[in-house]
Amino acid sequence: MFDRIVSELGPWVWMVLGFVLLVMEVIAPGIFMLWIGIAALLIGVVSLLIWDAVFWTWQIQVLAFLAMSLVSTYVGKRLVGGRDDGTDQPLLNRRGAQMIGRMATLDEPIRDGRGRIKLGDTLWRVSGPDLPAGTQVRVTGAADTDLELTVEAVLD
């Protein structure tokens, strides 16, 4: 079936595919279909130039398209992606990490390594050495999930 479509449309099958992919990129942007669409257009141009060559069968065209898709996606990623812009607020969505260094009083004692403190309007679970309620502690770390803080006793 694909052989018949390619033979009827000739090299234009790649041009049509390329434009369809570019239209899909416009409808649902993500900068992914763009590079595959460009690869299809390039294979279409090559097909226009060497359509009558014996070796240029539809299987070779598909392989060339797959290889060109990988190359164009890689080049596109290097051109557009990979930006590592620094931020002026690196802890913006990391509430636990924002608490490191703050001091608080234990609301609940730390027993078996677990307790609670209140910082601001939030009651935080904490881990650390066993300490009685009312002990002054300093936040020394935060779990990756921001659900638990690590504390140590503040020595007077």
Side-chain angles (χ1 to χ4, degrees):
M1 178 180 143
F2 189 74
D3 188 25
R4 193 186 77 188
I5 293 171
V6 171
S7 64
E8 287 178 10
L9 288 176
W12 296 104
V13 71
W14 295 109
M15 298 293 193
V16 170
L17 177 63
F19 284 118
V20 166
L21 289 169
L22 292 178
V23 167
M24 286 175 58
E25 178 67 35
V26 170
I27 293 171
I31 310 179
F32 182 72
M33 295 290 184
L34 172 70
W35 307 114
I36 299 173
I38 289 172
L41 291 173
L42 289 173
I43 295 300
V45 169
V46 171
S47 292
L48 282 173
L49 297 174
I50 61 169
W51 184 254
D52 293 331
V54 175
F55 68 90
W56 196 243
T57 63
W58 71 268
Q59 293 93 341
I60 298 298
Q61 292 175 36
V62 169
L63 288 175
F65 169 67
L66 293 174
M68 186 62 70
S69 294
L70 291 173
V71 169
S72 66
T73 302
Y74 176 76
V75 169
K77 174 75 173 154
R78 300 288 291 178
L79 289 175
V80 176
R83 294 180 300 208
D84 189 18
D85 297 335
T87 178
D88 60 340
Q89 295 182 1
L91 300 177
L92 179 63
N93 291 322
R94 299 176 52 209
R95 288 187 61 217
Q98 293 174 10
M99 301 299 154
I100 294 175
R102 296 203 37 200
M103 305 226 312
T105 304
L106 282 175
D107 281 358
E108 295 178 15
I110 299 178
R111 289 192 193 115
D112 298 323
R114 302 276 188 254
R116 291 190 185 272
I117 61 171
K118 185 170 187 171
L119 283 172
D121 62 350
T122 306
L123 195 60
W124 292 85
R125 281 189 311 203
V126 295
S127 63
D130 288 353
L131 298 168
T135 304
Q136 192 77 4
V137 294
R138 176 181 295 116
V139 178
T140 59
D144 289 337
T145 59
D146 276 350
L147 297 176
E148 185 173 88
L149 302 174
T150 305
V151 296
E152 66 181 17
V154 176
L155 302 175
D156 291 327

